[in-house]
Amino acid sequence: MAAIVRIIMNAAALWVAVTLLDGFNFDGSVLAFLGIGAVMGIINVTIKPILTVLSLPLIMVTLGLFLIVINAVSLWLVLLISDALSLGLTSESFGWTVGAALIVTLVSWALETFTGRR
């Protein structure tokens, strides 16, 4: 049950980013969007912690701001997998991906706080 809630929260956060940013687009079905949420959850559980540990010195030097870059790289990986699986999530540039990662992070934080999952 917790995994389903996490997938829905990831999809909701991505939906907000798609809605707010012109260069971050989605053209697909609701089921594809939930699939992207699942892919995002898998990357957040597997690859993101590895990237965080490997870049700890940069995180310390930048007082945590490098975490935005890590979130953007994680979202970029989601975009690559979405493209490979033809799920419909695209970004026009890495700048749009960074903006989307920032929005997804803030919305996910708010949803986790609201639902008591944090």
Side-chain angles (χ1 to χ4, degrees):
M1 182 65 176
I4 294 171
V5 172
R6 169 53 65 191
I7 290 170
I8 292 170
M9 288 191 332
N10 285 340
L14 283 169
W15 177 79
V16 171
V18 166
T19 303
L20 293 177
L21 299 175
D22 291 332
F24 195 70
N25 305 307
F26 176 74
D27 57 345
S29 67
V30 173
L31 190 58
F33 215 68
L34 291 173
I36 293 169
V39 168
M40 187 172 161
I42 292 168
I43 287 180
N44 283 342
V45 169
T46 57
I47 296 173
K48 190 174 173 184
I50 295 168
L51 290 175
T52 303
V53 168
L54 291 176
S55 62
L56 253 167
L58 284 171
I59 293 170
M60 302 271 261
V61 168
T62 62
L63 302 175
L65 290 176
F66 196 74
L67 287 170
I68 296 171
V69 175
I70 292 172
N71 289 340
V73 169
S74 297
L75 187 56
W76 176 70
L77 290 172
V78 170
L79 287 164
L80 288 177
I81 294 170
S82 171
D83 185 41
L85 298 176
S86 300
L87 294 176
L89 187 66
T90 59
S91 180
E92 292 179 11
S93 69
F94 191 70
W96 289 110
T97 306
V98 170
L102 192 56
I103 291 171
V104 167
T105 301
L106 291 173
V107 172
S108 292
W109 172 78
L111 288 173
E112 288 172 0
T113 302
F114 179 72
T115 60
R117 299 243 178 232
R118 185 159 279 267

